[in-house]
Amino acid sequence: MQHHFHPFKLSLLGAVGLSLLIASCEKSGDNPADDPEPTPVVTSFDQLQRRILTPTCAVSGCHSSEADPTFAQHKLVLAADVAYKNLVGVASTNATAKANGLLRVKPFAALESLLYHKINAAASHHSGANYGNPMPLGKELLTVGQIEFVRRWIEAGAPREGSVVDSTLLDDKTPSTPAAEDFEGLKVPSATEGFQLKLDPFTIIPNFERELFMRKSIGNTQDVYVNRFEVKMRNNSHHFVMYNFRNNQNLPALNQIRDLRNPDNSYNLLTALSMQNHVYFIGIQAPYIDYAFPEGTALLIPANTTMDFNSHYVNKSNTSITGEVFVNLYTTDKAKVKNVVKTMDFTNNDLSIPANKRVTLSKTFLMTKPVKVLVLTSHTHKLAEKFVIKIKGGARDGEVIYTSTNWEHPEIKTFTTPILLAKGEGLISEITYNNTTAKDVSFGLTSEDEMGIIFGYYLED
C-alpha cells in the first residue's frame, strides 16, 4: 500500500525535527560558538596580588620596578607580571634569612617564608632571628585577615592557580598592631640592673622621611659594663643607632634635635658634617631588639660618656605620625667581665676616586691576635654603590661575609656564630664607588669627600 504525505504536513514535520535537532545540539554543546562564556576563576594568588601586593608593596619607591631607589638592597619587584616568579621558591637577599635557610616564599611552610615574617610584626623573630622592619614601611601594616590569608596561601603550597583560601579573610579589617596611642615603651630597669635612655615623641610630617640626631648624656658618673641592650620603637622606624665620638672636640650641643633633612628634603650640611665624627656603638633595623653579648663579655662605657642618638622614620601616609625610642642598657659587675667587647673601626684612608669613573677600592686589615667577630656594619658617603667585606687568609679565604648596597642605611649584620680569625688573618673591605661628579674625590670629613669604614664588635682571645 502506498503512503502519500501532504506537503504541508511534511513541511511541519521538517520544521519540528529541525528545531529538535537544534535544541539537542545546544543542549549537548555541539555548537561551542553559542555556549555562554565560563565564569573565570579568581585564584588565591590573584587576590593576594590585587588586594595586597599591588596596593601596598608594588608602589613607586618600594617594590614596583628595578628603578626603585631601594632595589639595589632588596632585589625584589612585586609588580603583577613578575611577583609570583620573584617570590615562590626564591632565596632572599636578607642576610639573616639566608643564613637561616628561609626562602622568600617556601611552599607549605609559612614560618620558613620571609614574606610571612615581613608582613607580620608579631612574627618578626623566628628562633631568635631578626629579619628587619615589618612591611609596608611608612604605611599601616596589614590587617589580621590579610596576614592570615597569606599564611594560609603559603601553607596550601603557594599555588599560582586555584582558589585555596577563603577570600572573605581579606575583608577582615582588624589591625594587626596596637593603635599608636596604645604603644608601650620598655619597663625601666632597676638601679642594680641598668638604666633607660629615651628619644621623646617627635612628629614625622606626611609623605616625609625624618632622620634626626640628638647628643645625650648616658648619665654614668663612673665606668659601667653593658652586657645586654634592649631597644623598642613605634611603628615605621627604619633604624636606630647610638654613636660614640671619634674626637671629643667641638661636639654638638646636648639634648638638641639636629635634622638630617630640611623640610624641602635638602640635606642639612651641618648635621651631615657631624656624622663624620661617629663611631658605631649599638644599632637596630627593626622595631624591637633584645641583644645579649656572650657570657663573660661586655661593652665598656667610660664615666661621663655622651653619645649621638640617631633615629630614622618613614611616613608614606597623608597624616602625621609619631616617632619614639626607648633604650635599656643592662649592666654587669666588672668582676664578671672576662673580656671587653671592642668596637671595630677599620678605616681605608687611601681613597682616590677619579671624576666620572666607577672604581673598586680594597684594603686589608690583619689581626695581631686571634679574634671573634660578633657584628659588622659599614660607613661611606653618597658615591659608594656597594660595600663588601671578605675574610683574608685561613680556610675561608675570600669568603664574602657582609654586603651592603645602601650608603645611607647600611646593613647591620649580627653573627649568631662568631667569625673566628686567627693571628695574621683579617678582613678585606672592598668598596665600589661611582663618581658621577666632575672632580676627583678622596678621603675626607665633608659630605663632598668619601669614606670607607668597617664598624662592628669583636672579641680578642
Side-chain angles (χ1 to χ4, degrees):
M1 182 174 67
Q2 293 182 331
H3 296 277
H4 299 280
F5 293 96
H6 192 281
F8 173 76
K9 290 181 178 179
L10 184 61
S11 174
L12 179 62
L13 288 171
V16 171
L18 180 61
S19 65
L20 289 173
L21 178 63
I22 292 172
S24 174
C25 289
E26 289 178 346
K27 184 176 181 180
S28 65
D30 289 342
N31 188 4
D34 294 330
D35 285 350
E37 288 293 325
T39 302
V41 176
V42 179
T43 72
S44 292
F45 182 76
D46 288 339
Q47 294 264 36
L48 188 154
Q49 180 72 52
R50 181 171 59 85
R51 299 183 64 177
I52 297 177
L53 299 182
T54 295
T56 63
C57 308
V59 295
S60 179
C62 296
H63 296 279
S64 62
S65 75
E66 294 185 9
D68 290 319
T70 56
F71 176 77
Q73 190 129 2
H74 55 65
K75 298 287 197 306
L76 177 60
V77 176
L78 292 175
D81 57 335
V82 295
Y84 188 85
K85 74 179 183 67
N86 286 345
L87 282 174
V88 180
V90 178
S92 168
T93 58
N94 181 290
T96 306
K98 288 176 69 174
N100 289 346
L102 271 65
L103 301 178
R104 285 172 174 165
V105 170
K106 183 175 181 179
F108 306 106
L111 286 178
E112 297 174 57
S113 301
L114 183 61
L115 175 65
Y116 178 66
H117 291 281
K118 294 297 283 186
I119 64 172
N120 185 359
S124 60
H125 300 277
H126 176 56
S127 299
N130 189 321
Y131 299 118
N133 293 300
M135 295 293 164
L137 183 63
K139 294 184 176 181
E140 288 293 326
L141 298 181
L142 299 189
T143 66
V144 169
Q146 289 174 317
I147 295 169
E148 179 63 9
F149 184 93
V150 174
R151 188 193 70 81
R152 292 189 190 183
W153 171 71
I154 295 173
E155 292 293 338
R160 178 68 184 87
E161 304 298 334
S163 180
V164 295
V165 186
D166 182 0
S167 63
T168 60
L169 284 169
L170 296 171
D171 298 323
D172 180 357
K173 305 300 183 185
T174 306
S176 60
T177 55
E181 60 270 19
D182 296 327
F183 172 76
E184 292 185 6
L186 296 175
K187 179 183 176 182
V188 178
S190 68
T192 58
E193 290 179 309
F195 43 93
Q196 185 175 97
L197 303 160
K198 284 185 61 179
L199 280 180
D200 290 325
F202 55 91
T203 299
I204 304 94
I205 62 175
N207 298 300
F208 191 73
E209 292 190 30
R210 187 176 187 187
E211 184 165 0
L212 58 83
F213 296 82
M214 181 184 287
R215 178 176 163 240
K216 296 177 70 72
S217 173
I218 301 301
N220 59 315
T221 56
Q222 58 186 358
D223 292 356
V224 294
Y225 293 85
V226 173
N227 63 349
R228 173 186 164 211
F229 63 84
E230 194 177 13
V231 181
K232 186 176 182 181
M233 299 175 283
R234 290 178 181 265
N235 287 337
N236 296 313
S237 169
H238 181 277
H239 74 257
F240 170 76
V241 183
M242 284 173 60
Y243 291 103
N244 272 315
F245 295 101
R246 183 173 284 108
N247 185 329
N248 286 320
Q249 302 298 316
N250 301 316
L251 295 180
L254 278 170
N255 302 318
Q256 291 188 10
I257 288 179
R258 307 179 337 266
D259 275 285
L260 182 59
R261 294 177 180 85
N262 299 313
D264 63 358
N265 214 35
S266 62
Y267 275 100
N268 183 320
L269 295 181
L270 287 177
T271 301
L273 183 61
S274 71
M275 295 171 63
Q276 315 321 317
N277 194 22
H278 284 157
V279 177
Y280 176 85
F281 182 70
I282 66 171
I284 174 177
Q285 290 176 310
Y288 176 78
I289 191 173
D290 186 349
Y291 180 82
F293 290 100
E295 186 175 354
T297 70
L299 283 166
L300 168 63
I301 304 180
N304 304 311
T305 291
T306 66
M307 293 190 188
D308 228 6
F309 286 46
N310 168 218
S311 179
H312 177 199
Y313 269 78
V314 179
N315 184 6
K316 296 182 180 179
S317 73
N318 293 320
T319 58
S320 293
I321 63 173
T322 300
E324 188 174 10
V325 183
F326 288 78
V327 182
N328 283 357
L329 299 178
Y330 297 96
T331 57
T332 186
D333 191 277
K334 179 181 179 180
K336 296 181 179 179
V337 180
K338 299 177 182 178
N339 204 339
V340 174
V341 176
K342 296 189 178 294
T343 301
M344 198 175 293
D345 185 8
F346 297 162
T347 303
N348 184 358
N349 295 308
D350 187 21
L351 301 181
S352 179
I353 310 167
N356 300 305
K357 294 287 186 181
R358 178 183 279 108
V359 295
T360 299
L361 304 178
S362 299
K363 184 168 182 177
T364 300
F365 304 90
L366 298 179
M367 306 301 162
T368 58
K369 58 182 66 177
V371 304
K372 297 177 181 177
V373 179
L374 306 176
V375 174
L376 288 175
T377 187
S378 59
H379 177 72
T380 65
H381 294 177
K382 60 187 176 183
L383 299 183
E385 288 184 330
K386 188 175 185 180
F387 199 125
V388 171
I389 302 175
K390 299 179 180 179
I391 293 176
K392 174 65 175 178
R396 300 172 67 177
D397 184 52
E399 180 181 339
V400 174
I401 56 174
Y402 175 91
T403 302
S404 185
T405 54
N406 187 329
W407 74 271
E408 279 190 286
H409 311 116
E411 179 85 11
I412 301 172
K413 186 170 182 178
T414 300
F415 298 97
T416 305
T417 302
I419 302 290
L420 305 180
L421 298 175
K423 179 181 178 181
E425 297 176 1
L427 299 176
I428 302 172
S429 70
E430 187 176 275
I431 313 169
T432 300
Y433 298 94
N434 184 15
N435 187 355
T436 56
T437 73
K439 66 175 185 177
D440 295 348
V441 174
S442 59
F443 179 88
L445 299 180
T446 76
S447 60
E448 299 305 312
D449 299 318
E450 262 303 338
M451 281 191 170
I453 305 173
I454 299 176
F455 285 138
Y457 301 138
Y458 68 101
L459 298 170
E460 291 183 345
D461 282 352

